[in-house]
Amino acid sequence: MTEKNSPLWEVFIRSRNGLAHRHVGSVHAADATMALQAARDVYTRRGEGLSIWVVPSAAITASDPADKDMMFEPTASKIYRHPTFYEVPEEVGHM
Amino acid sequence: MYTQALNTRDQAAPSADSEQDARFQARVDAELKIEPNDWMPEAYRRTLTRQISQHAHSEIVGMLPEGNWITRAPTLKRKAALLAKVQDEGGHGLYLYSAAETLGTSREEMVDQLLSGKAKYSSIFNYPTLTWADIGIIGWLVDGAAIMNQIPLCRCSYGPYARAMIRICKEESFHQRQGYEIMLALCRGTPEQKQMAQEALNRWWWPVLMMFGPSDKDSQHTDTTTRWKIKRFTNDELRQKFVDATVPQGHYLGLTFPDPALRLNEKTGHWDYGEIDWSEFKRVIAGDGPCNRQRMKQRRAAHENGAWVREAALAYAEKRKARERAAYAEAAE
């Protein structure tokens, strides 16, 4: 028997209102409805969440960790993006 | 532990790129986590894939000995708790497959390896659950031993595995307490019930000690996996920790351990225990335990009997997609 693999979905859960959805793992399911049900059973057996997103894993475009220097290093030299770069006289108080 | 069979030989092939290797090791040494798309030595990927998938298989096969008692639990409360526990084991298996898949092997492939007998699972699940007391023992000792092994894995160098272990450890704690409570109820019950608890301890004690894998003298995997910070303690260290934690709990129940050599060593403060029968361990790992054949037969049957459901779900998803495409096409005309 040659069975087709069922698609992979990434699961994101909002644990409570006020917090963003957070990646918790993945599930296999034939379609989005079943993926949501599987995610509920696998990842929220103890009140871990109020809301679930499932996203086809294949739909995610990710940066390559090997490119991390090219992607993120330039920000290290731009210290003028941080508030501490600027001098404010003490008499002015908190700003 | 759940990955005992890893203690067999696996030649770590020298990596082609020693500079990358060194950079990788430096990250591990600095306690930085390795994430799925990061570069890693092939041997690290292979070892982890095997370890995590074997761990997952153990969780899945581990549902069988307990599932055996769901319909016969003595009260509704115990039945609900056992059902939740078995469901957790299934969940643990799925978290772990999900972590292992990030290394590039599909779940289907891993399941095939289990069903074909190529992949191993923990020897402990090849022992039968003959009485209700065995369910108490599994929670108290089997899950207790698992926790001992899994807590250090929460700090494992591979991010997805460490994160899965954190979830699992939180849930295992319920399992262990649930088991101990069953034991407590039996030990405070009639003499026959207490006898049942004692007999279960007698049958399970040595197989549980074997869960930690071969003695350090014979274990071949420790060096590399320790260097990669997959493993933080040796088999014997974890086994000793477990014995030290467990013996007083057993004495509190008023039970005795089936080991005449077991005694508190005044000098070390540890409980000394007798020699483990390694021939039994090897036999069970090799497939010749009391329940190996039955477990695999049940797993295969469950997989085969579920095939039509998986096929129907996929066919339905295909049909809906096709219908949606047709509707779009019609709207576009």
Side-chain angles (χ1 to χ4, degrees), chain B residues 1-2 85 136-151 172-173 175-177 208 211-212 238 241-242 245-246 249:
Chain B
M1 177 53 58
Y2 283 8
K85 180 177 187 296
I137 288 280
I138 287 185
W140 172 38
L141 297 183
V142 175
D143 289 297
I147 291 172
M148 212 44 101
N149 182 59
Q150 288 169 347
I151 285 176
E172 293 282 7
S173 170
H175 298 177
Q176 191 185 16
R177 292 172 67 118
V208 165
M211 285 176 70
F212 293 91
L238 289 168
K241 269 190 186 199
F242 172 75
T246 306
Q249 295 166 357

Side-chain angles (χ1 to χ4, degrees), chain A residues 9-88:
Chain A
W9 304 75
E10 298 302 321
V11 181
F12 299 81
I13 290 178
R14 185 203 294 287
S15 54
R16 58 189 165 85
N17 277 6
L19 294 180
H21 285 74
R22 207 173 127 223
H23 183 247
V24 293
S26 59
V27 292
H28 282 266
D31 61 29
T33 313
M34 292 185 76
L36 262 185
Q37 283 169 359
R40 188 204 73 142
D41 289 346
V42 176
Y43 294 104
T44 64
R45 288 192 305 282
R46 287 174 177 78
E48 289 92 338
L50 299 173
S51 158
I52 304 178
W53 290 346
V54 289
V55 180
S57 304
I60 293 179
T61 309
S63 69
D64 185 343
D67 292 341
K68 74 173 175 0
D69 289 348
M70 181 188 76
M71 298 274 281
F72 309 113
E73 202 285 324
T75 68
S77 57
K78 295 178 176 56
I79 50 171
Y80 46 84
R81 284 180 173 167
H82 297 277
T84 46
F85 179 74
Y86 303 93
E87 299 253 353
V88 174

Side-chain angles (χ1 to χ4, degrees), chain A residues 3 26 28 43 45-46 65, chain B residues 88 98 101 171 174 310:
Chain A
E3 241 183 83
S26 59
H28 282 266
Y43 294 104
R45 288 192 305 282
R46 287 174 177 78
Chain B
D88 273 354
S98 148
E101 282 191 290
E171 299 180 356
F174 136 57
R310 295 190 293 275

Side-chain angles (χ1 to χ4, degrees), chain B residues 33-308:
Chain B
K33 296 280 184 234
I34 306 302
E35 294 295 341
N37 294 326
D38 291 341
W39 185 89
M40 62 186 83
E42 264 322 296
Y44 178 84
R45 183 185 301 277
R46 204 170 50 232
T47 302
L48 265 177
T49 303
R50 281 212 307 162
Q51 169 156 349
I52 304 173
S53 64
Q54 285 183 19
H55 195 158
H57 299 330
S58 298
E59 300 282 357
I60 298 296
V61 177
M63 295 163 81
L64 295 170
E66 292 185 291
N68 182 30
W69 278 91
I70 290 175
T71 55
R72 294 177 286 164
T75 66
L76 190 56
K77 180 188 118 182
R78 301 264 184 227
K79 181 173 178 156
L82 183 58
L83 206 53
K85 180 177 187 296
V86 173
Q87 196 187 16
D88 273 354
E89 308 297 1
H92 295 175
L94 294 177
Y95 308 154
L96 288 164
Y97 283 131
S98 148
E101 282 191 290
T102 62
L103 291 160
T105 309
S106 75
R107 188 176 80 190
E108 284 84 355
E109 246 172 283
M110 291 184 269
V111 169
D112 277 348
Q113 286 168 356
L114 170 69
L115 298 181
S116 70
K118 193 177 157 226
K120 303 277 186 219
Y121 56 89
S122 176
S123 61
I124 196 72
F125 301 116
N126 291 315
Y127 290 86
T129 42
L130 303 179
T131 69
W132 174 249
D134 293 34
I135 298 304
I137 288 280
I138 287 185
W140 172 38
L141 297 183
V142 175
D143 289 297
I147 291 172
M148 212 44 101
N149 182 59
Q150 288 169 347
I151 285 176
L153 283 174
C154 296
R155 293 186 293 132
C156 158
S157 58
Y158 189 57
Y161 193 26
R163 291 193 285 275
M165 289 321 304
I166 290 170
R167 288 184 70 93
I168 291 176
C169 283
K170 275 191 206 156
E171 299 180 356
E172 293 282 7
S173 170
F174 136 57
H175 298 177
Q176 191 185 16
R177 292 172 67 118
Q178 178 259 171
Y180 194 71
E181 202 202 71
I182 292 175
M183 296 305 289
L184 206 54
L186 290 172
C187 291
R188 286 176 178 171
T190 63
E192 289 82 5
Q193 286 171 325
K194 184 158 184 193
Q195 182 59 28
M196 198 199 311
Q198 181 63 59
E199 282 170 11
L201 179 57
N202 293 349
R203 276 184 285 114
W204 287 86
W205 178 245
W206 290 108
V208 165
L209 290 189
M210 292 174 202
M211 285 176 70
F212 293 91
S215 157
D216 294 350
K217 296 189 291 276
D218 308 313
S219 175
Q220 296 148 342
H221 248 263
T222 301
D223 282 355
T224 347
T225 50
T226 305
R227 191 160 51 81
W228 283 334
K229 294 195 194 292
I230 295 173
K231 193 168 188 166
R232 303 251 174 189
F233 297 97
T234 69
N235 294 350
D236 284 341
E237 282 166 355
L238 289 168
R239 190 165 14 239
Q240 185 65 56
K241 269 190 186 199
F242 172 75
V243 171
D244 290 345
T246 306
V247 169
Q249 295 166 357
H251 289 161
Y252 180 82
L253 293 170
L255 298 176
T256 57
F257 289 84
D259 178 1
L262 187 72
R263 66 172 127 15
L264 187 64
N265 184 325
E266 301 283 347
K267 255 189 269 158
T268 61
H270 294 298
W271 285 87
D272 291 340
Y273 53 92
E275 188 59 32
I276 292 169
D277 177 4
W278 293 114
S279 62
E280 174 179 333
F281 172 75
K282 283 185 194 130
R283 220 167 38 239
V284 179
I285 284 280
D288 209 13
C291 297
N292 295 56
R293 284 168 204 82
Q294 186 194 5
R295 301 283 186 245
M296 288 318 296
K297 204 172 127 197
Q298 286 177 332
R299 268 324 305 156
R300 283 192 200 107
H303 189 73
E304 282 159 22
N305 294 339
W308 72 270

